[in-house]
Amino acid sequence: MPNNSSALQTSAAINEAVQTLRDGGLVAFPTETVYGLGADARNASAIQKIFKAKGRPSNHPVIVHLAVPDKYDVAQIDWAALLSPWVRDLSEEALQIINAFWPGPLTLVFKRDKSVLNEITGGQDTVAIRAPNHPIAQELLRKFKGGVVAPSANRFGKVSPTSAADVRDEFENELDLMILDGGDCEVGIESTIIDLSSGERAVLLRPGAITPSEIFAKTGIKVYQAGEDVKADNDFPRVSGSLKAHYAPTTPLRLYAPGRVLDALSEYPDTKSRVAVVVWDSESSLVLEDHPSIDVQEMIVSSDSADFAAKLYRTLRDLDQQGWDLILFPEPPNGEEWDGVRDRLQRACFGSGPSSSSHVNN
């Protein structure tokens, strides 16, 4: 009965992880988006360990992850009761969005309860919360019986991990870290973040797999873009992944416009000779005879937005480890379903290159 034995092993590992969190330690665990580096959200010194391990600026807020109650036989989960230790002013609109999308890859920003630690909020009066939709994450959170903060389990500003092996690559020499292995992440990019803290309008702060039109279709609630006639940009809460340079490989990364690979190659003459060119599976092979001096290798990626997102960080990590002088990615097409990966790629380009750590710190 291999399945039962692996379930028992997982259960034992989760019990050990719960104890590690209670003891103030760190646990890396899978979610449907990326792997998180988790700590007890009520333990300030444990949270500080995350910031130290990642090299993350202390004013950069982290997301609190909560369990969905085990009993699905109730007509509706009492989210108001579950959120009351963390949040004040929970609106009807917020509950509508929560009931439609939690658990799932959606983070919501609220006015914080006074008991929420400053280490979580970056000193702001808001807190970001989500309920992840991954069986291991959910079992861990249910058994822990509390909130767990968990930014992505990687060095700050670098490519996020979508497998347990990625987490080991990031930290194996420096952290005595417990890692729960839940296979590859299904969604592959971080959660959508919606700000509900003003009590007036829902505002998109970070695009992801769940789009504003999907939220509107399921709830009738309009989600505004930041800067869409709402309030000055600097009035929005700071949230994870909102810095200009983020998700970045060490190899220089650039985007090329449709059909403009050759132009992109000529545009970066300083980049030696080995170039990895990522192309859509729907496009024919490149014609690169014009560049005989360049060693170019094509890598095919899916032109389906969800599939592309699921493999984006895996592709970036693999290419980054192969020693190319330049990585060229196609610009994602227009359309809301591509906004999440476009956001990640633009930040990755800005932060990429050997000096990326200095970009990230700016």
Side-chain angles (χ1 to χ4, degrees):
M1 299 190 298
N3 285 354
N4 283 357
S5 106
S6 69
L8 284 171
Q9 280 169 0
T10 302
S11 192
I14 288 172
N15 290 339
E16 190 189 329
V18 167
Q19 196 53 52
T20 303
L21 290 171
R22 286 186 184 142
D23 294 342
L26 303 185
V27 173
F29 64 94
T31 76
E32 74 279 30
T33 58
V34 299
Y35 273 69
L37 185 61
D40 177 357
R42 295 294 188 195
N43 183 333
S45 64
I47 297 167
Q48 283 159 3
K49 287 180 189 172
I50 291 181
F51 282 88
K52 186 165 184 257
K54 282 178 63 74
R56 185 183 178 96
S58 60
N59 68 347
H60 205 53
V62 287
I63 295 167
V64 178
H65 294 65
L66 297 180
V68 177
D70 219 350
K71 306 269 180 283
Y72 279 105
D73 50 3
V74 289
Q76 205 169 42
I77 293 165
D78 186 358
W79 283 109
L82 287 164
L83 287 167
S84 63
W86 305 95
V87 167
R88 61 179 205 269
D89 309 333
L90 190 64
S91 67
E92 269 313 305
E93 278 202 342
L95 284 169
Q96 272 180 274
I97 294 173
I98 287 167
N99 283 312
F101 291 100
W102 278 9
L106 178 67
T107 295
L108 299 175
V109 179
F110 304 97
K111 285 278 186 257
R112 64 186 262 194
D113 181 82
K114 61 182 184 301
S115 67
V116 175
L117 296 170
N118 278 330
E119 283 80 2
I120 291 174
T121 67
Q124 304 174 105
D125 68 346
T126 52
V127 62
I129 299 186
R130 94 175 180 101
N133 186 19
H134 189 291
I136 290 178
Q138 276 299 326
E139 194 184 338
L140 174 70
L141 291 163
R142 274 199 288 268
K143 286 184 170 175
F144 180 64
K145 294 182 168 51
V148 171
V149 295
S152 56
N154 57 286
R155 307 281 170 200
F156 183 68
K158 292 301 183 185
V159 181
S160 303
T162 52
S163 72
D166 293 343
V167 181
R168 282 192 287 273
D169 283 350
E170 289 280 326
F171 293 117
E172 68 181 343
N173 297 327
E174 287 159 58
L175 266 192
D176 178 22
L177 180 64
M178 176 163 193
I179 302 172
L180 290 174
D181 190 341
D184 293 341
C185 299
E186 227 172 276
V187 175
I189 60 170
E190 295 77 5
S191 57
T192 304
I193 301 182
I194 305 286
D195 178 27
L196 299 173
S197 64
S198 74
E200 293 166 17
R201 289 178 160 186
V203 179
L204 180 70
L205 299 185
R206 179 174 75 182
I210 292 172
T211 62
S213 53
E214 203 180 335
I215 292 172
F216 185 75
K218 283 196 179 176
T219 65
I221 294 165
K222 176 169 167 53
V223 176
Y224 291 81
Q225 300 290 329
E228 190 184 337
D229 186 34
V230 189
K231 53 182 175 176
D233 258 1
N234 57 5
D235 287 335
F236 290 110
R238 294 188 310 281
V239 291
S240 289
S242 56
L243 297 181
K244 196 170 177 184
H246 220 80
Y247 319 110
T250 309
T251 311
L253 169 71
R254 300 290 178 264
L255 300 183
Y256 66 86
R260 305 293 292 271
V261 178
L262 291 174
D263 295 353
L265 286 170
S266 338
E267 208 178 316
Y268 305 106
D270 54 329
T271 47
K272 319 294 185 302
S273 55
R274 300 189 67 248
V275 183
V277 179
V278 175
V279 292
W280 300 117
D281 54 12
S282 53
E283 292 189 353
S284 58
S285 209
L286 300 174
V287 185
L288 293 166
E289 286 82 19
D290 295 5
H291 276 266
S293 60
I294 294 183
D295 169 15
V296 177
Q297 183 175 314
E298 275 184 31
M299 179 157 188
I300 309 289
V301 289
S302 174
S303 45
D304 171 79
S305 60
D307 200 29
F308 180 89
K311 300 186 177 75
L312 173 62
Y313 292 149
R314 166 85 285 117
T315 306
L316 280 176
R317 275 181 174 269
D318 289 349
L319 291 173
D320 203 20
Q321 286 162 6
Q322 288 166 15
W324 299 99
D325 297 318
L326 174 67
I327 300 167
L328 289 176
F329 251 83
E331 285 175 6
N334 290 328
E336 230 181 39
E337 71 277 19
W338 288 96
D339 286 350
V341 291
R342 184 182 303 104
D343 170 78
R344 306 308 188 273
L345 278 169
Q346 285 168 347
R347 294 177 200 277
C349 285
F350 188 80
S352 70
S355 60
S356 54
S357 56
S358 64
H359 292 304
V360 167
N361 294 337
N362 294 331

